[in-house]
């Protein structure tokens, strides 16, 4: 029995029918040449042999009495693979557009909380002969980085499927789903006491972290006339609205080596390139509709708090805000401002890392947060309240080597993520085997499927603009000469 942290449980409490809180992946596989088998059955058999390797696949929720504390994870000894692993065939001709529309629909439905919180789909009928694989798992049990760790468990690094040790035999006295009220409350009290002890032990470290962060903030003060690194509230845009459960979804793949080389050439990182590409694309998309605000757009960016080597299947993440500088017309100056804002935000997080992920137990938080989530959607408060950011942009490092599943080679690994009230568009980027894979997940009422394709074309055009920038050495030399 493992009690959820406040952060993990918040993804459960903030979930409504309009805002499913699961993350997913869309993968494309090339079958071995001359393959004649039943790939769905092979995948299901392989998953059945490996479920015990990933706790997220073998556990389900048990709620606390009266929702006085966070729920707990308990082991599920009766997993119905035919329910969790499903087969879908696209209608002819089986285009990528058809696949993306299918993923948008599959991603819009809630997971069954009486079962382990995951589903997987083997999707056949693609015109290029590939087989797609879509998986989704609730964010309460897995964040982006832990999802990559899960992938390492489920997939192979060669066409030859590795043998894994079978699960150990269960002993009598295993925990039942119907836990007693006394047992649950005792677990909640013990967990809260443990967390408060950790908070007390952390106080000296917290004081040092806050002092260091204050020093970093002081060093980031800009001279008069320069662009401030301290961001105010975000302007209102079409993305800052309450959303429905309908989704649009599109993908984009770029060569990672070219992006890395481009970043070095123009004076940034891969993350800066991603932010700049999104900035230019969103600028153009909104400007064409006469909807671009005068104030700069602000991106809300998740940052991992996970320590090196930590593969726990939970959420260890915080958020920073990055200036997309859409009020700067000249691309070199905009690129520089985006890079400075991103690096400044990461510098503060590095100092605050010891305290940002601290779990603070709050009695009654489940029903309180659930009520607030329902009110947020029904009142359209998100469409009227001040906004912290305009768009969610996430960049997750993924596997660098090709992966295989049931003997088939994975050729693409696109993320599928979560829009929410006030953040109707989520752009998540993940690296995989030499590619930078984009997944644009949005509320269809805010960004339709056709508009999502249009935004992807703007992303391509934005990259070409950044590629045309002069190298930083040349730019510096020109400025010196002038």
């Amino acid at each position: 029995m493992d009690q959820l942290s406040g952060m993990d449980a918040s993804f459960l409490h903030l979930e409504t029918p309009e805002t499913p809180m699961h993350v997913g992946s869309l993968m494309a596989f090339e079958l071995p040449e001359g393959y004649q088998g039943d790939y769905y059955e092979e995948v299901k058999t392989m998953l059945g042999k490996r479920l015990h390797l990933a706790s997220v696949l073998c556990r389900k929720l048990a709620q606390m009495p009266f929702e006085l504390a966070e729920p707990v994870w308990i082991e599920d000894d009766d997993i119905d693979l035919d329910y969790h692993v499903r087969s879908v065939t696209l209608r002819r001709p089986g285009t990528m557009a058809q696949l993306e529309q299918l993923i948008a629909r599959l991603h819009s439905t809630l997971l069954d909380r009486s079962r382990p919180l995951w589903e997987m789909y083997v999707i056949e009928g693609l015109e290029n002969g590939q087989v797609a694989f879509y998986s989704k798992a609730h964010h309460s049990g897995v964040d982006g980085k832990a999802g990559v760790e899960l992938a390492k468990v489920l997939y192979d690094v060669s066409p030859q499927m590795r043998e894994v040790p079978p699960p150990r035999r269960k002993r009598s006295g295993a925990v039942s789903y119907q836990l007693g009220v006394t047992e649950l409350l005792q677990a909640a009290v013990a967990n809260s006491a443990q967390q408060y002890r950790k908070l007390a032990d952390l106080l000296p470290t917290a004081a040092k972290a806050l002092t260091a962060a204050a020093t970093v903030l002081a060093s980031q003060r800009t001279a008069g006339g320069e662009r401030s690194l301290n961001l105010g509230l975000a302007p209102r845009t079409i993305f800052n609205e309450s959303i429905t459960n309908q989704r649009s979804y599109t993908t984009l793949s770029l060569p990672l080596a070219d992006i890395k080389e481009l970043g070095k050439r123009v004076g940034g990182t891969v993350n800066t390139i991603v932010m700049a590409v999104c900035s230019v694309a969103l600028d153009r998309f909104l400007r064409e509709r006469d909807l671009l605000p005068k104030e700069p757009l602000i991106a809300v960016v998740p940052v991992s708090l996970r320590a090196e080597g930590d593969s726990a299947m939970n959420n260890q993440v915080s958020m920073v805000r990055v200036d997309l500088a859409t009020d700067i017309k000249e691309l070199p100056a905009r690129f520089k401002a985006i890079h400075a804002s991103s690096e400044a935000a990461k510098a503060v997080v590095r100092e605050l890392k010891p305290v940002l992920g601290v779990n603070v137990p709050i009695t009654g938080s489940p029903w309180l947060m659930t009520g607030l989530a329902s009110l947020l959607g029904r009142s359209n408060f998100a469409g009227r309240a001040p906004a912290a950011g305009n768009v969610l942009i996430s960049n997750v490092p993924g596997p660098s080597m090709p992966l295989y599943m049931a003997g088939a080679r994975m050729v693409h690994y696109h993320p599928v993520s979560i829009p929410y009230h006030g953040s109707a568009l989520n752009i998540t980027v993940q690296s995989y085997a030499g590619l930078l894979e984009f997944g644009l997940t949005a509320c269809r009422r805010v960004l339709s499927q056709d508009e999502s394709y249009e935004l992807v074309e703007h992303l391509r055009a934005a990259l070409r603009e950044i590629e045309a920038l002069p190298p930083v050495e040349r730019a510096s030399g020109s400025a010196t000469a002038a």
Side-chain angles (χ1 to χ4, degrees):
M1 187 166 53
D2 183 18
Q3 189 161 27
L4 279 72
S5 69
M7 180 179 294
D8 289 345
S10 68
F11 291 105
L12 291 170
H13 308 326
L14 295 175
E15 183 173 66
T16 67
E18 296 77 28
T19 57
M21 298 297 282
H22 46 252
V23 289
S25 298
L26 171 62
M27 292 145 275
F29 289 90
E30 282 186 349
L31 295 173
E33 188 174 354
Y35 181 81
Q36 297 295 325
D38 187 332
Y39 190 65
Y40 164 72
E41 289 297 336
E42 291 197 21
V43 167
K44 191 169 64 170
T45 300
M46 181 271 295
L47 287 171
K49 293 179 179 179
R50 298 185 182 182
L51 286 178
H52 63 285
L53 299 180
S55 60
V56 67
L57 301 178
C58 304
R59 63 189 186 183
K60 58 186 177 182
L61 292 170
Q63 298 291 343
M64 284 290 172
F66 310 109
E67 295 189 335
L68 292 175
E70 309 300 3
V72 296
W73 293 115
I74 61 172
E75 190 171 354
D76 188 353
D77 296 328
D78 184 24
I79 298 174
D80 183 359
L81 272 182
D82 288 320
Y83 173 86
H84 287 280
V85 187
R86 307 176 185 184
S87 175
V88 179
T89 302
L90 290 175
R91 291 181 60 84
R92 293 180 180 176
T95 63
M96 189 63 189
Q98 287 177 282
L99 176 61
E100 290 171 340
Q101 290 169 18
L102 172 64
I103 299 308
R105 290 195 295 272
L106 295 177
H107 202 65
S108 68
T109 57
L110 295 168
L111 291 163
D112 183 352
R113 292 198 183 183
S114 69
R115 302 173 184 261
L117 297 178
W118 60 273
E119 292 174 6
M120 298 179 182
Y121 295 77
V122 176
I123 305 169
E124 299 174 298
L126 282 166
E127 61 182 350
N128 60 9
Q130 295 176 351
V131 175
F133 184 77
Y134 164 69
S135 65
K136 64 180 180 181
H138 205 280
H139 212 329
S140 59
V142 54
D143 68 357
K145 191 72 177 292
V148 173
E149 296 297 330
L150 175 62
K152 293 178 181 177
V153 171
L154 293 179
Y155 308 127
D156 296 302
V157 295
S158 73
Q160 183 67 35
M161 285 188 285
R162 70 188 189 279
E163 294 294 326
V164 301
R168 292 181 178 176
R169 181 169 63 89
K170 297 287 190 303
R171 301 292 178 179
S172 59
V175 178
S176 166
Y177 181 74
Q178 299 296 336
L179 297 176
V181 173
T182 302
E183 187 177 8
L184 286 170
L185 292 178
Q186 285 177 341
V189 171
N191 180 71
S192 295
Q194 182 182 17
Q195 296 304 323
Y196 285 126
R197 283 196 299 271
K198 288 182 179 179
L199 284 174
D201 295 340
L202 190 66
L203 287 177
T205 304
K208 293 179 181 178
L210 292 171
T211 302
T215 303
V216 171
L217 285 172
S219 69
Q220 292 176 355
R221 290 175 183 167
T222 53
E226 293 185 9
R227 192 178 187 84
S228 175
L229 294 174
N230 297 319
L231 303 178
L233 293 173
R236 304 295 314 169
T237 69
I238 58 172
F239 304 119
N240 300 108
E241 298 290 341
S242 294
I243 65 173
T244 70
N245 69 331
Q246 300 177 37
R247 296 288 176 264
S248 62
Y249 178 72
T250 48
T251 61
L252 171 67
S253 296
L254 300 174
L256 180 58
D258 292 353
I259 300 299
K260 287 182 177 179
E261 182 59 33
L262 177 61
K264 293 178 182 178
R265 185 168 64 82
V266 298
T269 63
V270 170
N271 192 62
T272 313
I273 298 293
V274 169
M275 293 294 165
V277 164
C278 293
S279 169
V280 175
L282 291 168
D283 180 323
R284 185 166 296 152
F285 180 86
L286 294 174
R287 191 184 299 276
E288 288 176 350
R289 292 160 173 76
D290 198 24
L291 294 172
L292 182 68
K294 294 181 180 179
E295 301 83 3
L297 299 181
I298 294 176
V300 176
V301 182
V303 292
S304 177
L305 303 178
R306 191 176 298 274
E308 190 70 28
D310 183 355
S311 59
M313 298 295 177
N314 63 353
N315 288 277
Q316 300 181 42
V317 67
S318 184
M319 297 282 187
V320 299
R321 301 193 306 149
V322 175
D323 185 359
L324 294 182
T326 49
D327 57 327
I328 301 177
K329 294 183 179 180
E330 298 78 13
L331 186 53
R334 180 187 296 194
F335 187 87
K336 183 178 179 181
I338 292 171
H339 182 69
S341 178
S342 177
E343 293 302 305
K346 287 189 288 185
V348 175
V349 169
R350 278 194 295 269
E351 300 301 335
L352 290 176
K353 202 170 184 178
V355 295
L356 283 177
V358 175
N359 182 32
V360 181
I362 302 174
T363 302
S365 65
W367 58 263
L368 176 63
M369 295 182 70
T370 300
L372 289 174
S374 178
L375 178 65
L376 187 63
R378 294 180 180 181
S379 65
N380 194 28
F381 180 74
R384 298 191 296 268
N390 303 111
V391 58
L392 281 161
I393 304 177
S394 180
N395 186 2
V396 181
S400 58
M401 77 293 288
L403 299 177
Y404 296 80
M405 186 173 71
R409 183 174 69 89
M410 185 191 298
V411 292
H412 288 291
Y413 194 174
H414 294 285
V416 194
S417 200
I418 303 173
Y420 202 76
H421 297 307
S423 300
L425 171 63
N426 185 313
I427 302 175
T428 301
V429 184
Q430 178 172 291
S431 59
Y432 167 67
L435 295 173
L436 203 58
E437 307 275 46
F438 285 68
L440 281 67
T441 315
C443 171
R444 191 182 66 84
R445 294 290 183 89
V446 176
L447 189 75
S448 70
Q449 193 69 28
D450 288 339
E451 288 173 329
S452 190
Y453 293 139
E454 184 181 343
L455 186 54
V456 165
E457 292 306 312
H458 286 321
L459 290 171
R460 296 183 192 276
L463 180 60
R464 291 193 293 269
E465 288 187 33
I466 296 173
E467 288 172 341
L469 289 176
V472 286
E473 295 82 9
R474 186 189 307 170
S476 301
S478 300
T480 304

